[in-house]
């Protein structure tokens, strides 16, 4: 008979709570997983003076910077997602993120002319990639790459790959909201979906998944209030202001957490109707929308089972 006991290991990395669950007591493995996360954080962060991404940013308007392969490939993927027509995802959003300072001290609605000025230095096509030497060049002075929307997903996938290499078949990693799952002796992992703007651990429902990533992006995660309005941390690269539509949150179920990260942002930009239409072309990516009107909309239900747990929400699929 197999032992189904779960061992949990936690840490704080990337400014977020990190949780690793294993079906064996293996402190040494947990320490190696946290070490791996920290090494990637050191390469990708833009919240410190130095990292490979900061080296690229410091050289904006001056010269290309060669970076390590994984960082180059991630930036290449982020640029591709940013270049999709009308994409709300933009890897060059850095100057606007820094201007708004949402989630950091001193956040406030910036003057409109400053937003306009910064929109001029957030064009993804001005991120120039060179496959031959693995270098990245930001052609305009003041440009800044920000991988905040996809770093956790990318790293969650690297943790999954590392656990596979270590012959760990069952487990779960939660990187501050990016959940990546590997099998489970119990049959499936149950992942709770937070109820937007509720102070407690309240859930709108939960989903059961096997070998899937579950990523939620919500306007309630990081925001401030000014002039009777909430200003949250997912910015519209077209207007320079937080994305405003019917959505409180989007959850993406996919194999890779990197896709989950990209699609949560894309879908936030599209809203429910256009988002669902686009997902019809992608059998491998599914979404759960939670709206301000308390509707829960499932784009499809192939890779998960949804269990509602709040009567004040209406469910549509
Ligand atoms: P969380 O940080 O809670 O995981 P997200 O995954 O939605 O939230 O990522 C939000 C972060 O992504 C922001 O804090 C910012 O660094 C960056 N960001 C904000 N707007 C965009 C955008 N339109 N495209 C790409 N990155 C963005
Ligand atoms: Mg995220
Ligand atoms: Mg996201």
């Amino acid at each position: 008979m197999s032992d189904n006991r779960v061992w949990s290991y936690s840490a704080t990395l990337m400014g977020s709570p990190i949780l690793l669950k294993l079906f064996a007591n293996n402190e040494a493995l947990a320490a190696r997983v946290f070490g791996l996360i920290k090494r990637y954080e050191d390469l990708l962060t833009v919240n410190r003076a130095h990292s490979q991404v900061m080296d690229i940013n410091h050289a904006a308007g001056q010269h290309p910077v060669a970076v390590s392969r994984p960082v180059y490939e991630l930036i290449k993927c982020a640029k591709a997602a940013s270049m999709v027509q009308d994409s709300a995802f933009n890897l060059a959003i850095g100057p606007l993120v820094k201007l708004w300072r949402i989630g950091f001290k001193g956040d406030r609605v910036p003057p409109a002319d400053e937003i306009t000025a910064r929109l001029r230095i957030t064009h993804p096509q001005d991120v120039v990639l060179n496959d031959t030497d693995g270098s990245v060049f930001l052609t305009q002075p003041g440009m800044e790459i920000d991988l905040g929307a996809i770093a956790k997903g990318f790293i969650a996938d690297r943790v999954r790959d590392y656990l596979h290499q270590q012959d760990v078949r069952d487990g779960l990693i939660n990187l501050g909201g990016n959940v990546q799952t590997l099998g489970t002796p119990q049959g499936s992992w149950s992942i709770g979906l937070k109820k937007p703007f509720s102070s407690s651990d309240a859930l709108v429902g939960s989903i059961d998944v096997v070998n899937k990533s579950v990523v939620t992006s919500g306007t309630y995660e990081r925001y401030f209030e000014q002039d009777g309005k909430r200003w949250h941390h997912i910015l519209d690269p077209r207007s320079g202001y937080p994305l405003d539509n019917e959505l409180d949150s989007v959850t993406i179920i996919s194999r890779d957490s990197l896709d989950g990260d990209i699609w949560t942002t894309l879908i936030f930009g599209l809203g429910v109707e256009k988002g669902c239409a686009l997902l019809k072309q992608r059998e491998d990516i599914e979404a759960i929308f939670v709206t301000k009107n308390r509707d829960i909309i499932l784009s499809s239900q192939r890779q998960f089972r949804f269990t509602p747990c709040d009567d004040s929400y209406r469910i549509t699929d």
Side-chain angles (χ1 to χ4, degrees), residues 148-150 152 176 178 215-217 221 261:
I150 55 166
K152 286 185 207 148
N178 274 74
V215 180
T216 299
S217 214
E221 283 169 45
D261 267 349

Side-chain angles (χ1 to χ4, degrees), residues 89 148-150 178 215-218 221 233-234 250 257-258 260-266 268:
F89 184 91
I150 55 166
N178 274 74
V215 180
T216 299
S217 214
E221 283 169 45
H233 68 311
I234 308 163
V250 173
S257 211
L258 182 61
D261 267 349
I262 291 172
W263 279 83
T264 46
T265 308
L266 286 181
F268 245 104

